[in-house]
Amino acid sequence: MTETARISRIPKARRQQIRQANETAILQAAEKVFAEAGYGGATMQLIADMAGLPKANLHYYFPTKEALYRRVVQNIFEIWLRAADSFDQAPGPVEGIGAYIDAKMEISRRHPDGSKVWASEVMHGAPVIQDYLETTLRDWTEGRTAHIRRWIDEGRMAPVDPQHLLYMLWATTQHYADFGHQIETLNGGRPLSDRDWQKAKDTVKAIILRGIGATGSDT
Amino acid sequence: MTETARISRIPKARRQQIRQANETAILQAAEKVFAEAGYGGATMQLIADMAGLPKANLHYYFPTKEALYRRVVQNIFEIWLRAADSFDQAPGPVEGIGAYIDAKMEISRRHPDGSKVWASEVMHGAPVIQDYLETTLRDWTEGRTAHIRRWIDEGRMAPVDPQHLLYMLWATTQHYADFGHQIETLNGGRPLSDRDWQKAKDTVKAIILRGIGATGSDT
DNA sequence: ACACAACCTGACCAAGCGGTCAATAAAATT
DNA sequence: AATTTTATTGACCGCTTGGTCAGGTTGTGT
């Protein structure tokens, strides 16, 4: 480990360091504001205040409101794609779908704002990420439905329509983020506890895995 | 049937007639615009254009943007509550929950804009219908969970957590409205056909009813 | 026919918006 | 130390927004 690396790039890359710090601060603030107010309701001023920067500085890092918004949406999309890994390297539907549910529920818990921004974007007709839907998401979906079809052919689960099964998984898991406020209200105004989240996961997995007649890897 | 009633109140209630026509035109346009652009992104001008009225006329019927929005949200809420009737007068979970899924899927198909407005409202923290969540919706939910618990006690379905089951029903059915654009994109850019909708309903019902181990009314 | 109330609307306004820019400060390079 | 590059910011601008209002029009009761 060289000295410059150990002291974390004092002279040269301090610029980059500051730049990245400001960018992430802005992105975090933006995610929250976009989630709470929607794209139209969000203001650059509010994002700037929340990030602790003057408004003009935002436009130095992100030229327009739309550019900033686009980055926020892309970040979320990548997090979601990463959750798909659980799906792939699984011997059977119980492990694969079970792990996928766990992963997506965890995302709903840790990144509720991101989920809301995504939902809002799609609800409004996906004005900025339509191409993602048509390319990356479509490819991803086709791969997964093929996977599910294989499980069905192997008799490891009931012959349910893979597409609608995927929709169900998305809907159910993301609901805990997008409608978190409603759930919290019905929970007596208190956020879900660790135990509540565990119960949510267990219930969702139980119903869906039994619903598709899934069997474990042991044949 | 009197003459005045037959000719549908020509002299007296023509005012009311016009009033109601304009109000519903405004409300329909507002629902669409709020759904497509969100509360912050929607403009009174656009709503007025879509309703075929000058903007100032909107403010004659609805004093403020928020008042108009509130009415839109309330209308949707009432439609949803009415879908609950299917739940009540049912002998067992297969009929009750099955009919409820059918009803909510039909709402997602017929009133996608309303569903989106509701989703948006809740996602943004329910700023205008928080009281509804705390009163009407909470009462409704408690009644339904009690119903489900009874079914469980009677051995008509597996002992799943009723609250999370309800969330699953809401999430899955509303997903077809709120994320309709995404579904349409993954469907090759075409809206779901009659057969697609039927398949969606059947798949959702099959997975959930099997998932909760529901049995029909015949014991 | 008259008077009164309800309805309609073009023109207007203050406020807030996204975005710009010139001037300044800080850091890196020479 | 000088100079160039990068980062920062208060002040500002054109434009759109929700909302107002005076004056005109239409419908209703007498």
Side-chain angles (χ1 to χ4, degrees):
Chain A
M1 189 179 278
T2 67
E3 193 188 9
T4 58
R6 237 186 79 250
I7 318 183
S8 181
R9 315 172 191 90
I10 285 182
K12 198 173 183 179
R14 177 156 176 199
R15 280 260 163 82
Q16 274 194 15
Q17 188 179 337
I18 292 176
R19 184 168 198 101
Q20 194 171 353
N22 280 342
E23 271 191 8
T24 60
I26 293 171
L27 284 170
Q28 277 186 8
E31 180 176 292
K32 190 167 187 177
V33 173
F34 281 133
E36 287 176 357
Y39 179 81
T43 69
M44 296 297 270
Q45 186 64 64
L46 190 57
I47 296 172
D49 291 348
M50 196 160 291
L53 294 165
K55 195 188 72 169
N57 210 352
L58 254 67
H59 285 96
Y60 176 74
Y61 285 101
F62 300 92
T64 66
K65 186 184 180 183
E66 192 187 310
L68 174 55
Y69 174 73
R70 189 184 292 267
R71 275 284 301 273
V72 170
V73 173
Q74 285 175 345
N75 282 355
I76 298 146
F77 190 61
E78 281 167 24
I79 290 178
W80 283 19
L81 279 187
R82 232 171 290 144
D85 297 346
S86 14
F87 215 118
D88 296 328
Q89 56 241 37
V94 172
E95 298 85 352
I97 294 176
Y100 186 57
I101 292 173
D102 278 333
K104 289 222 70 200
M105 288 291 279
E106 206 58 30
I107 292 177
S108 283
R109 188 177 188 185
R110 304 299 172 194
H111 300 277
D113 288 331
S115 181
K116 286 175 193 171
V117 173
W118 174 267
S120 209
E121 163 70 7
V122 172
M123 278 201 319
H124 297 10
V128 318
I129 44 94
Q130 179 64 29
D131 51 333
Y132 276 77
L133 296 187
E134 291 174 357
T135 56
T136 317
L137 184 62
R138 184 178 289 179
D139 293 346
W140 186 92
T141 303
E142 280 175 8
R144 253 36 66 165
T145 52
H147 212 121
I148 293 172
R149 248 182 288 273
R150 205 173 314 135
W151 283 334
I152 293 175
D153 291 342
E154 294 170 1
R156 303 173 89 79
M157 55 178 281
V160 300
D161 185 282
Q163 201 82 18
H164 292 295
L165 172 57
L166 274 183
Y167 296 157
M168 228 172 129
L169 293 174
W170 293 345
T172 306
T173 53
Q174 289 164 216
H175 184 82
Y176 284 88
D178 302 341
F179 289 75
H181 178 81
Q182 181 174 288
I183 291 174
E184 193 172 315
T185 298
L186 294 177
N187 192 43
R190 295 179 306 274
L192 296 191
S193 65
D194 287 356
R195 199 180 298 123
D196 292 333
W197 276 98
Q198 193 56 49
K199 183 153 213 166
K201 276 191 202 174
D202 291 344
T203 304
V204 170
K205 281 193 287 186
I207 293 178
I208 288 191
L209 292 180
R210 194 189 308 142
I212 63 176
T215 59
S217 61
D218 54 292
T219 315
Chain B
M1 190 180 281
T2 69
E3 192 188 6
T4 57
R6 237 187 79 252
I7 319 181
S8 182
R9 314 173 193 89
I10 285 182
K12 198 173 181 181
R14 178 155 178 202
R15 280 260 163 82
Q16 274 193 17
Q17 189 179 336
I18 292 175
R19 184 170 198 99
Q20 194 172 352
N22 281 340
E23 270 191 7
T24 60
I26 293 171
L27 285 170
Q28 276 187 9
E31 180 175 291
K32 190 167 187 178
V33 173
F34 281 134
E36 288 176 356
Y39 179 81
T43 69
M44 296 297 271
Q45 186 63 64
L46 189 58
I47 295 172
D49 292 347
M50 196 160 291
L53 293 166
K55 196 188 72 169
N57 211 351
L58 254 67
H59 285 96
Y60 176 74
Y61 286 101
F62 301 92
T64 65
K65 184 183 181 184
E66 191 186 312
L68 174 55
Y69 174 74
R70 189 183 293 264
R71 275 284 301 273
V72 171
V73 173
Q74 285 174 347
N75 283 355
I76 299 147
F77 190 62
E78 280 167 25
I79 291 177
W80 283 20
L81 278 187
R82 233 172 289 144
D85 297 347
S86 16
F87 215 118
D88 294 330
Q89 55 240 38
V94 171
E95 298 85 353
I97 294 177
Y100 186 57
I101 291 173
D102 278 334
K104 289 222 70 200
M105 287 292 278
E106 207 58 31
I107 293 177
S108 284
R109 187 178 189 185
R110 305 299 173 194
H111 300 278
D113 289 332
S115 182
K116 286 175 192 171
V117 174
W118 174 266
S120 208
E121 163 70 7
V122 173
M123 278 201 319
H124 297 6
V128 318
I129 44 91
Q130 179 64 29
D131 50 333
Y132 277 76
L133 297 186
E134 290 174 358
T135 56
T136 317
L137 184 62
R138 183 178 289 178
D139 293 346
W140 185 93
T141 304
E142 280 175 8
R144 252 36 68 164
T145 52
H147 213 121
I148 293 171
R149 248 182 288 272
R150 205 174 314 132
W151 282 335
I152 292 174
D153 291 342
E154 294 169 1
R156 302 173 91 79
M157 55 178 282
V160 300
D161 185 283
Q163 200 82 20
H164 292 295
L165 171 58
L166 275 184
Y167 295 158
M168 230 174 127
L169 294 174
W170 294 344
T172 304
T173 53
Q174 290 165 215
H175 184 83
Y176 284 88
D178 303 340
F179 288 76
H181 177 81
Q182 182 174 289
I183 290 174
E184 194 173 315
T185 297
L186 293 178
N187 193 42
R190 297 178 306 274
L192 296 191
S193 66
D194 287 356
R195 199 179 298 123
D196 292 333
W197 275 98
Q198 193 56 50
K199 183 153 215 166
K201 276 191 203 173
D202 291 343
T203 304
V204 169
K205 280 194 287 187
I207 293 178
I208 288 191
L209 291 180
R210 194 189 308 143
I212 62 176
T215 61
S217 60
D218 54 293
T219 313

